[in-house]
Amino acid sequence: MSGFIDGYKAFGRIRSLIRSKYGNQRNCARSLGLSEGHLSDMLNGRCEISPILLADAGLVRRTVYQIIAPKEEPPLPANTDSNPVDDAGVDMPSLIRKPGRSAQG
């Protein structure tokens, strides 16, 4: 059976594997050659799940990107200052960053 699952189901599957196959996290970590702290960090989302643990659970990580329609924003008012400042795209009177401009230039 192959298919896609979200991160919550993947964590559930991994936790179920640990309980059923190893009994506890300590035994799982020792069996897979991981430190207990690192396994705990993986299970609590503080670091990526290792390929070893994913493979043991019958999983492989895939990254998916989705294209979304850009959010329409109302146009900004024109700069009415007699001395316009175009420093890094900042409109000085209102301190609103102009769209499409970055601070790095």
Side-chain angles (χ1 to χ4, degrees):
M1 177 176 121
S2 66
F4 293 92
I5 59 175
D6 63 14
Y8 292 110
K9 289 184 181 177
F11 275 95
R13 183 175 177 139
I14 291 168
R15 288 186 184 278
S16 294
L17 167 84
I18 291 171
R19 279 192 302 274
S20 65
K21 186 173 179 181
Y22 300 105
N24 59 43
Q25 289 182 21
R26 175 176 289 146
N27 294 339
C28 177
R30 288 179 181 168
S31 178
L32 296 177
L34 304 168
S35 71
E36 293 175 44
H38 187 61
L39 178 60
S40 175
D41 287 345
M42 286 188 280
L43 294 175
N44 288 299
R46 291 187 289 267
C47 64
E48 301 252 336
I49 299 174
S50 74
I52 294 169
L53 185 56
L54 287 171
D56 198 38
L59 298 171
V60 65
R61 180 189 334 273
R62 296 284 185 238
T63 303
V64 178
Y65 296 92
Q66 182 178 4
I67 299 172
I68 59 172
K71 185 173 79 172
E72 297 212 13
E73 297 181 15
L76 293 175
N79 186 353
T80 58
D81 190 4
S82 61
N83 185 12
V85 177
D86 196 18
D87 183 34
V90 175
D91 182 2
M92 291 304 287
S94 62
L95 297 177
I96 297 173
R97 186 160 303 278
K98 295 177 184 175
R101 305 297 298 270
S102 68
Q104 281 74 26

